[in-house]
């Protein structure tokens, strides 16, 4: 018989001696707990068992409550097995609730047969629940994929490449690319919701939707906080970006601060005609701007806190400019924090070295960094989502800075 652990609801009078003797003779592990303790003890202290055995005189609702608490421990779903020496009418309500039962004689062979049946049922139930959970996760993955853009709007003379690899079936990372201000500007977003799994995936969907919807429909209206007219102060496209970030932060901290989820993000507005960038970096890894002419890497540093972390946060603006041939590399911390089996990180230094090597295009750069991450992890568990975006401005036809300046003008 497969190894089975029985939690005996140890209520007075004590369980029949013949039942305990049969369990012992079959090598079944038995732990005894009182009903009050099982209903009040912290979940972390409760045992993980395959079978909950209780006397039939204990009300079915109490037995069901104990079984429910045992399920919450993360262990197997316990099969309820009630027993009665006499007063068999008490079994009826238990049977109606789906509880299995034992009646005298409590002979070893009979007990063994019933426990084998319980063990097989517990395993079948656990398998069915696991399959159902995996199916739900797959549905979640498909829904989440719908939140990522199917096609990236790419202005003439520019290229945009993205790599997205979740650590699990659903992810907390996301990216987005969409047009603003009557297609005169391009919004680029890469974000990382804290934690992993289903919780972060739900907040990923919420945060992505808030950011995009607010940015696309804000137009040139007043800033969410302060009533400042950014249209008169800052470049075109800043108002939608600032409205989106401030509005999302306000919503999250007003409604979801208790859940403790927040997101680091890089949100930039690109003017494709000039190559100018205006951005907000909310606690995110600093993207790198790679100058083709000099090979120099410039960091687009943090301009504010993570979104959803602090009420009434303020976010500064950063500015950059992409010359023809320049490359912008945006990433989440799953890249430098990729771990090898012994726990060492890939590291930012190694990542930056990969960026300085020449690449024919954005796809080659993404492939190079992606391969380095996979080689470093060595086939081990992927601990975090890995998202990268490469934006390149096409080189102009001249041979040097003077010719490029003339062409750009």
């Amino acid at each position: 018989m497969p190894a089975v652990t029985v939690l005996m609801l140890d209520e007075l009078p004590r369980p029949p001696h013949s039942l305990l003797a049969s369990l012992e003779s079959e090598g079944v592990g038995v732990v005894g707990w009182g009903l009050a303790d099982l209903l009040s003890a912290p979940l972390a202290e409760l045992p993980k068992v395959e079978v909950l055995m209780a006397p039939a005189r204990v009300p079915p609702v109490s037995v069901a409550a104990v079984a429910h608490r045992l399920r919450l421990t993360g262990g197997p779903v316990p099969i309820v097995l009630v027993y009665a020496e006499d007063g068999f009418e008490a079994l009826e309500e238990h049977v109606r609730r789906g509880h299995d039962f034992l009646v005298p004689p409590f002979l070893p062979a009979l007990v063994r047969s019933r426990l084998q049946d319980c063990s097989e049922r517990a395993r079948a139930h656990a398998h069915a629940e696991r399959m159902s959970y995996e199916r739900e996760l797959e549905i979640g993955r498909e829904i989440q994929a719908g939140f990522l853009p199917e096609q990236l709007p790419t202005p003439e003379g520019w290229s945009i490449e993205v790599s997205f690899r979740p650590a699990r079936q659903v992810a907390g990372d996301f990216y987005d690319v969409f047009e603003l201000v009557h297609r005169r500007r391009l919004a680029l977003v890469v974000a990382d919701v804290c934690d992993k799994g289903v919780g972060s995936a739900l907040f990923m969907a919420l945060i992505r939707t808030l950011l995009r919807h607010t940015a696309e429909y804000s137009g040139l209206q007043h800033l969410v906080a302060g009533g400042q007219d950014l249209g008169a102060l800052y470049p075109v496209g800043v108002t939608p970006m600032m409205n989106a970030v401030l509005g999302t932060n306000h919503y999250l901290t007003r409604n979801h601060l208790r859940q403790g989820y927040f997101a680091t993000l890089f949100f930039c507005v690109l003017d494709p005609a000039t190559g100018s960038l205006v951005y907000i970096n909310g606690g995110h890894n600093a993207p790198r701007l790679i100058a083709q002419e000099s090979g120099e890497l410039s960091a687009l540093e943090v301009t504010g806190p993570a979104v959803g972390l602090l009420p009434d946060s303020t976010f500064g603006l950063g500015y950059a400019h992409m010359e023809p041939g320049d490359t912008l590399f945006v990433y989440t911390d799953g890249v430098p924090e990729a771990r090898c089996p012994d726990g060492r990180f890939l590291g930012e230094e190694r990542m930056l070295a990969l960026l300085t090597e020449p690449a024919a295009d954005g796809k080659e750069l993404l492939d190079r960094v992606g391969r380095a991450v996979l080689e470093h992890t060595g086939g081990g568990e992927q601990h975090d989502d890995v998202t990268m975006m490469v934006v390149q401005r096409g080189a102009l036809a001249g041979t040097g800075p003077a010719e490029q300046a003339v062409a750009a003008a």
Side-chain angles (χ1 to χ4, degrees), residues 48-82:
K48 294 179 172 61
V49 297
E50 289 82 15
V51 177
L52 169 62
M53 191 173 288
R57 65 178 179 279
V58 176
V61 64
S62 298
V63 177
V66 171
H68 175 70
R69 297 204 79 215
L70 292 175
R71 291 188 189 99
L72 298 179
T73 65
V77 178
I79 295 295
V80 176
L81 183 59
V82 295

PDB file of all heavy atoms in Angstrom, residues 48-82:
ATOM      1  N   LYS A  48       0.169  18.059   7.081  1.00  0.00           N
ATOM      2  CA  LYS A  48      -0.255  17.755   5.711  1.00  0.00           C
ATOM      3  C   LYS A  48      -0.493  16.258   5.627  1.00  0.00           C
ATOM      4  O   LYS A  48       0.433  15.466   5.760  1.00  0.00           O
ATOM      5  CB  LYS A  48       0.802  18.213   4.709  1.00  0.00           C
ATOM      6  CG  LYS A  48       0.983  19.734   4.648  1.00  0.00           C
ATOM      7  CD  LYS A  48       2.054  20.118   3.651  1.00  0.00           C
ATOM      8  CE  LYS A  48       2.107  21.629   3.447  1.00  0.00           C
ATOM      9  NZ  LYS A  48       2.433  22.355   4.675  1.00  0.00           N
ATOM     10  N   VAL A  49      -1.740  15.863   5.403  1.00  0.00           N
ATOM     11  CA  VAL A  49      -2.132  14.457   5.465  1.00  0.00           C
ATOM     12  C   VAL A  49      -2.990  14.093   4.270  1.00  0.00           C
ATOM     13  O   VAL A  49      -3.579  14.956   3.611  1.00  0.00           O
ATOM     14  CB  VAL A  49      -2.904  14.150   6.771  1.00  0.00           C
ATOM     15  CG1 VAL A  49      -2.022  14.379   8.000  1.00  0.00           C
ATOM     16  CG2 VAL A  49      -4.171  15.001   6.865  1.00  0.00           C
ATOM     17  N   GLU A  50      -3.054  12.775   3.991  1.00  0.00           N
ATOM     18  CA  GLU A  50      -3.895  12.283   2.899  1.00  0.00           C
ATOM     19  C   GLU A  50      -5.302  11.940   3.362  1.00  0.00           C
ATOM     20  O   GLU A  50      -6.251  12.002   2.576  1.00  0.00           O
ATOM     21  CB  GLU A  50      -3.268  11.027   2.271  1.00  0.00           C
ATOM     22  CG  GLU A  50      -2.022  11.276   1.456  1.00  0.00           C
ATOM     23  CD  GLU A  50      -0.776  11.372   2.333  1.00  0.00           C
ATOM     24  OE1 GLU A  50      -0.850  10.962   3.505  1.00  0.00           O
ATOM     25  OE2 GLU A  50       0.247  11.876   1.844  1.00  0.00           O
ATOM     26  N   VAL A  51      -5.441  11.551   4.640  1.00  0.00           N
ATOM     27  CA  VAL A  51      -6.732  11.083   5.147  1.00  0.00           C
ATOM     28  C   VAL A  51      -7.031  11.774   6.476  1.00  0.00           C
ATOM     29  O   VAL A  51      -6.167  11.852   7.356  1.00  0.00           O
ATOM     30  CB  VAL A  51      -6.744   9.552   5.349  1.00  0.00           C
ATOM     31  CG1 VAL A  51      -8.080   9.099   5.942  1.00  0.00           C
ATOM     32  CG2 VAL A  51      -6.484   8.834   4.028  1.00  0.00           C
ATOM     33  N   LEU A  52      -8.254  12.292   6.605  1.00  0.00           N
ATOM     34  CA  LEU A  52      -8.753  12.816   7.875  1.00  0.00           C
ATOM     35  C   LEU A  52      -9.751  11.800   8.418  1.00  0.00           C
ATOM     36  O   LEU A  52     -10.778  11.536   7.790  1.00  0.00           O
ATOM     37  CB  LEU A  52      -9.429  14.170   7.666  1.00  0.00           C
ATOM     38  CG  LEU A  52     -10.239  14.725   8.842  1.00  0.00           C
ATOM     39  CD1 LEU A  52      -9.346  14.958  10.065  1.00  0.00           C
ATOM     40  CD2 LEU A  52     -10.965  16.016   8.448  1.00  0.00           C
ATOM     41  N   MET A  53      -9.439  11.219   9.580  1.00  0.00           N
ATOM     42  CA  MET A  53     -10.305  10.197  10.166  1.00  0.00           C
ATOM     43  C   MET A  53     -10.989  10.774  11.394  1.00  0.00           C
ATOM     44  O   MET A  53     -10.335  11.354  12.268  1.00  0.00           O
ATOM     45  CB  MET A  53      -9.490   8.952  10.535  1.00  0.00           C
ATOM     46  CG  MET A  53     -10.346   7.742  10.897  1.00  0.00           C
ATOM     47  SD  MET A  53      -9.352   6.233  11.143  1.00  0.00           S
ATOM     48  CE  MET A  53      -8.896   5.875   9.442  1.00  0.00           C
ATOM     49  N   ALA A  54     -12.314  10.642  11.445  1.00  0.00           N
ATOM     50  CA  ALA A  54     -13.082  11.246  12.534  1.00  0.00           C
ATOM     51  C   ALA A  54     -14.196  10.310  12.970  1.00  0.00           C
ATOM     52  O   ALA A  54     -14.740   9.554  12.149  1.00  0.00           O
ATOM     53  CB  ALA A  54     -13.671  12.584  12.088  1.00  0.00           C
ATOM     54  N   PRO A  55     -14.576  10.381  14.242  1.00  0.00           N
ATOM     55  CA  PRO A  55     -15.732   9.593  14.691  1.00  0.00           C
ATOM     56  C   PRO A  55     -17.015  10.164  14.096  1.00  0.00           C
ATOM     57  O   PRO A  55     -17.145  11.388  13.936  1.00  0.00           O
ATOM     58  CB  PRO A  55     -15.698   9.735  16.215  1.00  0.00           C
ATOM     59  CG  PRO A  55     -14.891  10.958  16.482  1.00  0.00           C
ATOM     60  CD  PRO A  55     -13.922  11.087  15.357  1.00  0.00           C
ATOM     61  N   ALA A  56     -17.962   9.297  13.782  1.00  0.00           N
ATOM     62  CA  ALA A  56     -19.190   9.729  13.114  1.00  0.00           C
ATOM     63  C   ALA A  56     -20.012  10.667  13.984  1.00  0.00           C
ATOM     64  O   ALA A  56     -20.820  11.441  13.457  1.00  0.00           O
ATOM     65  CB  ALA A  56     -20.034   8.513  12.731  1.00  0.00           C
ATOM     66  N   ARG A  57     -19.807  10.643  15.305  1.00  0.00           N
ATOM     67  CA  ARG A  57     -20.602  11.507  16.180  1.00  0.00           C
ATOM     68  C   ARG A  57     -20.223  12.990  16.046  1.00  0.00           C
ATOM     69  O   ARG A  57     -20.972  13.868  16.450  1.00  0.00           O
ATOM     70  CB  ARG A  57     -20.446  11.073  17.635  1.00  0.00           C
ATOM     71  CG  ARG A  57     -19.047  11.257  18.166  1.00  0.00           C
ATOM     72  CD  ARG A  57     -18.928  10.851  19.631  1.00  0.00           C
ATOM     73  NE  ARG A  57     -17.565  11.011  20.101  1.00  0.00           N
ATOM     74  CZ  ARG A  57     -16.602  10.140  19.900  1.00  0.00           C
ATOM     75  NH1 ARG A  57     -16.875   9.022  19.223  1.00  0.00           N
ATOM     76  NH2 ARG A  57     -15.379  10.361  20.333  1.00  0.00           N
ATOM     77  N   VAL A  58     -19.029  13.280  15.502  1.00  0.00           N
ATOM     78  CA  VAL A  58     -18.647  14.674  15.276  1.00  0.00           C
ATOM     79  C   VAL A  58     -19.498  15.223  14.136  1.00  0.00           C
ATOM     80  O   VAL A  58     -19.597  14.595  13.078  1.00  0.00           O
ATOM     81  CB  VAL A  58     -17.147  14.787  14.939  1.00  0.00           C
ATOM     82  CG1 VAL A  58     -16.778  16.240  14.614  1.00  0.00           C
ATOM     83  CG2 VAL A  58     -16.297  14.278  16.081  1.00  0.00           C
ATOM     84  N   PRO A  59     -20.145  16.361  14.322  1.00  0.00           N
ATOM     85  CA  PRO A  59     -21.038  16.888  13.271  1.00  0.00           C
ATOM     86  C   PRO A  59     -20.317  17.017  11.930  1.00  0.00           C
ATOM     87  O   PRO A  59     -19.159  17.455  11.871  1.00  0.00           O
ATOM     88  CB  PRO A  59     -21.441  18.264  13.815  1.00  0.00           C
ATOM     89  CG  PRO A  59     -21.279  18.153  15.292  1.00  0.00           C
ATOM     90  CD  PRO A  59     -20.124  17.234  15.513  1.00  0.00           C
ATOM     91  N   PRO A  60     -20.975  16.637  10.846  1.00  0.00           N
ATOM     92  CA  PRO A  60     -20.354  16.736   9.515  1.00  0.00           C
ATOM     93  C   PRO A  60     -19.839  18.129   9.192  1.00  0.00           C
ATOM     94  O   PRO A  60     -18.816  18.283   8.524  1.00  0.00           O
ATOM     95  CB  PRO A  60     -21.480  16.334   8.567  1.00  0.00           C
ATOM     96  CG  PRO A  60     -22.363  15.459   9.390  1.00  0.00           C
ATOM     97  CD  PRO A  60     -22.311  16.027  10.772  1.00  0.00           C
ATOM     98  N   VAL A  61     -20.538  19.184   9.661  1.00  0.00           N
ATOM     99  CA  VAL A  61     -20.104  20.540   9.363  1.00  0.00           C
ATOM    100  C   VAL A  61     -18.747  20.830  10.004  1.00  0.00           C
ATOM    101  O   VAL A  61     -17.907  21.530   9.431  1.00  0.00           O
ATOM    102  CB  VAL A  61     -21.156  21.578   9.819  1.00  0.00           C
ATOM    103  CG1 VAL A  61     -21.328  21.570  11.337  1.00  0.00           C
ATOM    104  CG2 VAL A  61     -20.799  22.962   9.320  1.00  0.00           C
ATOM    105  N   SER A  62     -18.500  20.263  11.194  1.00  0.00           N
ATOM    106  CA  SER A  62     -17.207  20.453  11.863  1.00  0.00           C
ATOM    107  C   SER A  62     -16.106  19.707  11.131  1.00  0.00           C
ATOM    108  O   SER A  62     -14.998  20.221  10.945  1.00  0.00           O
ATOM    109  CB  SER A  62     -17.294  19.982  13.321  1.00  0.00           C
ATOM    110  OG  SER A  62     -18.244  20.729  14.052  1.00  0.00           O
ATOM    111  N   VAL A  63     -16.405  18.487  10.701  1.00  0.00           N
ATOM    112  CA  VAL A  63     -15.413  17.708   9.950  1.00  0.00           C
ATOM    113  C   VAL A  63     -15.089  18.417   8.631  1.00  0.00           C
ATOM    114  O   VAL A  63     -13.923  18.507   8.231  1.00  0.00           O
ATOM    115  CB  VAL A  63     -15.935  16.282   9.685  1.00  0.00           C
ATOM    116  CG1 VAL A  63     -14.943  15.500   8.833  1.00  0.00           C
ATOM    117  CG2 VAL A  63     -16.168  15.546  11.013  1.00  0.00           C
ATOM    118  N   ALA A  64     -16.117  18.927   7.955  1.00  0.00           N
ATOM    119  CA  ALA A  64     -15.897  19.634   6.692  1.00  0.00           C
ATOM    120  C   ALA A  64     -15.051  20.883   6.904  1.00  0.00           C
ATOM    121  O   ALA A  64     -14.207  21.231   6.060  1.00  0.00           O
ATOM    122  CB  ALA A  64     -17.239  19.995   6.056  1.00  0.00           C
ATOM    123  N   ALA A  65     -15.246  21.584   8.031  1.00  0.00           N
ATOM    124  CA  ALA A  65     -14.462  22.787   8.321  1.00  0.00           C
ATOM    125  C   ALA A  65     -12.989  22.434   8.519  1.00  0.00           C
ATOM    126  O   ALA A  65     -12.098  23.157   8.051  1.00  0.00           O
ATOM    127  CB  ALA A  65     -15.011  23.480   9.558  1.00  0.00           C
ATOM    128  N   VAL A  66     -12.732  21.321   9.203  1.00  0.00           N
ATOM    129  CA  VAL A  66     -11.347  20.879   9.392  1.00  0.00           C
ATOM    130  C   VAL A  66     -10.726  20.518   8.043  1.00  0.00           C
ATOM    131  O   VAL A  66      -9.594  20.904   7.734  1.00  0.00           O
ATOM    132  CB  VAL A  66     -11.290  19.674  10.351  1.00  0.00           C
ATOM    133  CG1 VAL A  66      -9.879  19.085  10.377  1.00  0.00           C
ATOM    134  CG2 VAL A  66     -11.710  20.091  11.754  1.00  0.00           C
ATOM    135  N   ALA A  67     -11.471  19.768   7.218  1.00  0.00           N
ATOM    136  CA  ALA A  67     -10.959  19.378   5.904  1.00  0.00           C
ATOM    137  C   ALA A  67     -10.635  20.603   5.057  1.00  0.00           C
ATOM    138  O   ALA A  67      -9.624  20.636   4.342  1.00  0.00           O
ATOM    139  CB  ALA A  67     -11.973  18.484   5.189  1.00  0.00           C
ATOM    140  N   HIS A  68     -11.488  21.628   5.151  1.00  0.00           N
ATOM    141  CA  HIS A  68     -11.237  22.853   4.392  1.00  0.00           C
ATOM    142  C   HIS A  68      -9.943  23.525   4.836  1.00  0.00           C
ATOM    143  O   HIS A  68      -9.142  23.971   4.013  1.00  0.00           O
ATOM    144  CB  HIS A  68     -12.411  23.813   4.563  1.00  0.00           C
ATOM    145  CG  HIS A  68     -12.199  25.143   3.917  1.00  0.00           C
ATOM    146  ND1 HIS A  68     -12.172  25.329   2.549  1.00  0.00           N
ATOM    147  CD2 HIS A  68     -11.964  26.380   4.469  1.00  0.00           C
ATOM    148  CE1 HIS A  68     -11.954  26.601   2.279  1.00  0.00           C
ATOM    149  NE2 HIS A  68     -11.815  27.255   3.411  1.00  0.00           N
ATOM    150  N   ARG A  69      -9.720  23.588   6.138  1.00  0.00           N
ATOM    151  CA  ARG A  69      -8.484  24.211   6.644  1.00  0.00           C
ATOM    152  C   ARG A  69      -7.256  23.410   6.212  1.00  0.00           C
ATOM    153  O   ARG A  69      -6.208  23.979   5.892  1.00  0.00           O
ATOM    154  CB  ARG A  69      -8.511  24.307   8.171  1.00  0.00           C
ATOM    155  CG  ARG A  69      -9.611  25.193   8.722  1.00  0.00           C
ATOM    156  CD  ARG A  69      -9.256  25.712  10.105  1.00  0.00           C
ATOM    157  NE  ARG A  69      -8.324  26.828  10.011  1.00  0.00           N
ATOM    158  CZ  ARG A  69      -7.350  27.068  10.874  1.00  0.00           C
ATOM    159  NH1 ARG A  69      -7.142  26.220  11.878  1.00  0.00           N
ATOM    160  NH2 ARG A  69      -6.563  28.105  10.739  1.00  0.00           N
ATOM    161  N   LEU A  70      -7.376  22.100   6.179  1.00  0.00           N
ATOM    162  CA  LEU A  70      -6.241  21.268   5.755  1.00  0.00           C
ATOM    163  C   LEU A  70      -5.912  21.511   4.281  1.00  0.00           C
ATOM    164  O   LEU A  70      -4.745  21.476   3.887  1.00  0.00           O
ATOM    165  CB  LEU A  70      -6.549  19.794   5.994  1.00  0.00           C
ATOM    166  CG  LEU A  70      -6.645  19.355   7.465  1.00  0.00           C
ATOM    167  CD1 LEU A  70      -7.085  17.900   7.555  1.00  0.00           C
ATOM    168  CD2 LEU A  70      -5.316  19.551   8.190  1.00  0.00           C
ATOM    169  N   ARG A  71      -6.938  21.763   3.474  1.00  0.00           N
ATOM    170  CA  ARG A  71      -6.689  22.056   2.056  1.00  0.00           C
ATOM    171  C   ARG A  71      -5.882  23.341   1.893  1.00  0.00           C
ATOM    172  O   ARG A  71      -5.087  23.484   0.968  1.00  0.00           O
ATOM    173  CB  ARG A  71      -8.012  22.205   1.296  1.00  0.00           C
ATOM    174  CG  ARG A  71      -8.795  20.914   1.142  1.00  0.00           C
ATOM    175  CD  ARG A  71      -9.987  21.107   0.219  1.00  0.00           C
ATOM    176  NE  ARG A  71     -10.854  19.941   0.229  1.00  0.00           N
ATOM    177  CZ  ARG A  71     -11.977  19.855   0.941  1.00  0.00           C
ATOM    178  NH1 ARG A  71     -12.378  20.879   1.675  1.00  0.00           N
ATOM    179  NH2 ARG A  71     -12.707  18.765   0.910  1.00  0.00           N
ATOM    180  N   LEU A  72      -6.087  24.286   2.802  1.00  0.00           N
ATOM    181  CA  LEU A  72      -5.419  25.580   2.703  1.00  0.00           C
ATOM    182  C   LEU A  72      -3.944  25.509   3.070  1.00  0.00           C
ATOM    183  O   LEU A  72      -3.211  26.477   2.868  1.00  0.00           O
ATOM    184  CB  LEU A  72      -6.116  26.608   3.612  1.00  0.00           C
ATOM    185  CG  LEU A  72      -7.585  26.905   3.279  1.00  0.00           C
ATOM    186  CD1 LEU A  72      -8.155  27.909   4.269  1.00  0.00           C
ATOM    187  CD2 LEU A  72      -7.734  27.426   1.851  1.00  0.00           C
ATOM    188  N   THR A  73      -3.487  24.399   3.613  1.00  0.00           N
ATOM    189  CA  THR A  73      -2.072  24.285   3.996  1.00  0.00           C
ATOM    190  C   THR A  73      -1.169  24.082   2.789  1.00  0.00           C
ATOM    191  O   THR A  73       0.048  24.169   2.908  1.00  0.00           O
ATOM    192  CB  THR A  73      -1.860  23.107   4.956  1.00  0.00           C
ATOM    193  OG1 THR A  73      -2.167  21.864   4.276  1.00  0.00           O
ATOM    194  CG2 THR A  73      -2.743  23.240   6.197  1.00  0.00           C
ATOM    195  N   GLY A  74      -1.755  23.791   1.628  1.00  0.00           N
ATOM    196  CA  GLY A  74      -0.942  23.526   0.443  1.00  0.00           C
ATOM    197  C   GLY A  74      -0.593  22.060   0.274  1.00  0.00           C
ATOM    198  O   GLY A  74       0.062  21.679  -0.693  1.00  0.00           O
ATOM    199  N   GLY A  75      -1.051  21.225   1.204  1.00  0.00           N
ATOM    200  CA  GLY A  75      -0.814  19.790   1.093  1.00  0.00           C
ATOM    201  C   GLY A  75      -1.872  19.129   0.221  1.00  0.00           C
ATOM    202  O   GLY A  75      -2.665  19.812  -0.438  1.00  0.00           O
ATOM    203  N   PRO A  76      -1.904  17.790   0.188  1.00  0.00           N
ATOM    204  CA  PRO A  76      -2.914  17.094  -0.616  1.00  0.00           C
ATOM    205  C   PRO A  76      -4.313  17.351  -0.085  1.00  0.00           C
ATOM    206  O   PRO A  76      -4.494  17.686   1.091  1.00  0.00           O
ATOM    207  CB  PRO A  76      -2.526  15.614  -0.458  1.00  0.00           C
ATOM    208  CG  PRO A  76      -1.762  15.543   0.831  1.00  0.00           C
ATOM    209  CD  PRO A  76      -1.025  16.850   0.928  1.00  0.00           C
ATOM    210  N   VAL A  77      -5.293  17.219  -0.968  1.00  0.00           N
ATOM    211  CA  VAL A  77      -6.687  17.355  -0.535  1.00  0.00           C
ATOM    212  C   VAL A  77      -7.060  16.105   0.251  1.00  0.00           C
ATOM    213  O   VAL A  77      -7.058  14.998  -0.299  1.00  0.00           O
ATOM    214  CB  VAL A  77      -7.619  17.522  -1.742  1.00  0.00           C
ATOM    215  CG1 VAL A  77      -9.072  17.617  -1.280  1.00  0.00           C
ATOM    216  CG2 VAL A  77      -7.224  18.749  -2.545  1.00  0.00           C
ATOM    217  N   PRO A  78      -7.358  16.227   1.554  1.00  0.00           N
ATOM    218  CA  PRO A  78      -7.567  15.022   2.360  1.00  0.00           C
ATOM    219  C   PRO A  78      -8.913  14.355   2.081  1.00  0.00           C
ATOM    220  O   PRO A  78      -9.923  15.022   1.876  1.00  0.00           O
ATOM    221  CB  PRO A  78      -7.500  15.549   3.794  1.00  0.00           C
ATOM    222  CG  PRO A  78      -7.940  16.974   3.688  1.00  0.00           C
ATOM    223  CD  PRO A  78      -7.457  17.465   2.349  1.00  0.00           C
ATOM    224  N   ILE A  79      -8.896  13.045   2.055  1.00  0.00           N
ATOM    225  CA  ILE A  79     -10.124  12.263   1.999  1.00  0.00           C
ATOM    226  C   ILE A  79     -10.664  12.132   3.420  1.00  0.00           C
ATOM    227  O   ILE A  79      -9.917  11.839   4.358  1.00  0.00           O
ATOM    228  CB  ILE A  79      -9.857  10.865   1.405  1.00  0.00           C
ATOM    229  CG1 ILE A  79      -9.423  10.981  -0.059  1.00  0.00           C
ATOM    230  CG2 ILE A  79     -11.090   9.981   1.535  1.00  0.00           C
ATOM    231  CD1 ILE A  79     -10.459  11.535  -0.991  1.00  0.00           C
ATOM    232  N   VAL A  80     -11.955  12.372   3.597  1.00  0.00           N
ATOM    233  CA  VAL A  80     -12.574  12.246   4.919  1.00  0.00           C
ATOM    234  C   VAL A  80     -13.078  10.823   5.095  1.00  0.00           C
ATOM    235  O   VAL A  80     -13.829  10.297   4.261  1.00  0.00           O
ATOM    236  CB  VAL A  80     -13.723  13.244   5.088  1.00  0.00           C
ATOM    237  CG1 VAL A  80     -14.417  13.029   6.436  1.00  0.00           C
ATOM    238  CG2 VAL A  80     -13.203  14.673   4.979  1.00  0.00           C
ATOM    239  N   LEU A  81     -12.656  10.196   6.186  1.00  0.00           N
ATOM    240  CA  LEU A  81     -13.044   8.815   6.497  1.00  0.00           C
ATOM    241  C   LEU A  81     -13.585   8.795   7.920  1.00  0.00           C
ATOM    242  O   LEU A  81     -12.841   9.019   8.879  1.00  0.00           O
ATOM    243  CB  LEU A  81     -11.830   7.892   6.373  1.00  0.00           C
ATOM    244  CG  LEU A  81     -12.035   6.397   6.586  1.00  0.00           C
ATOM    245  CD1 LEU A  81     -13.040   5.827   5.593  1.00  0.00           C
ATOM    246  CD2 LEU A  81     -10.707   5.656   6.462  1.00  0.00           C
ATOM    247  N   VAL A  82     -14.894   8.585   8.074  1.00  0.00           N
ATOM    248  CA  VAL A  82     -15.493   8.562   9.409  1.00  0.00           C
ATOM    249  C   VAL A  82     -15.725   7.105   9.825  1.00  0.00           C
ATOM    250  O   VAL A  82     -15.877   6.222   8.989  1.00  0.00           O
ATOM    251  CB  VAL A  82     -16.822   9.341   9.450  1.00  0.00           C
ATOM    252  CG1 VAL A  82     -16.583  10.811   9.191  1.00  0.00           C
ATOM    253  CG2 VAL A  82     -17.832   8.781   8.464  1.00  0.00           C
TER     254      VAL A  82
END
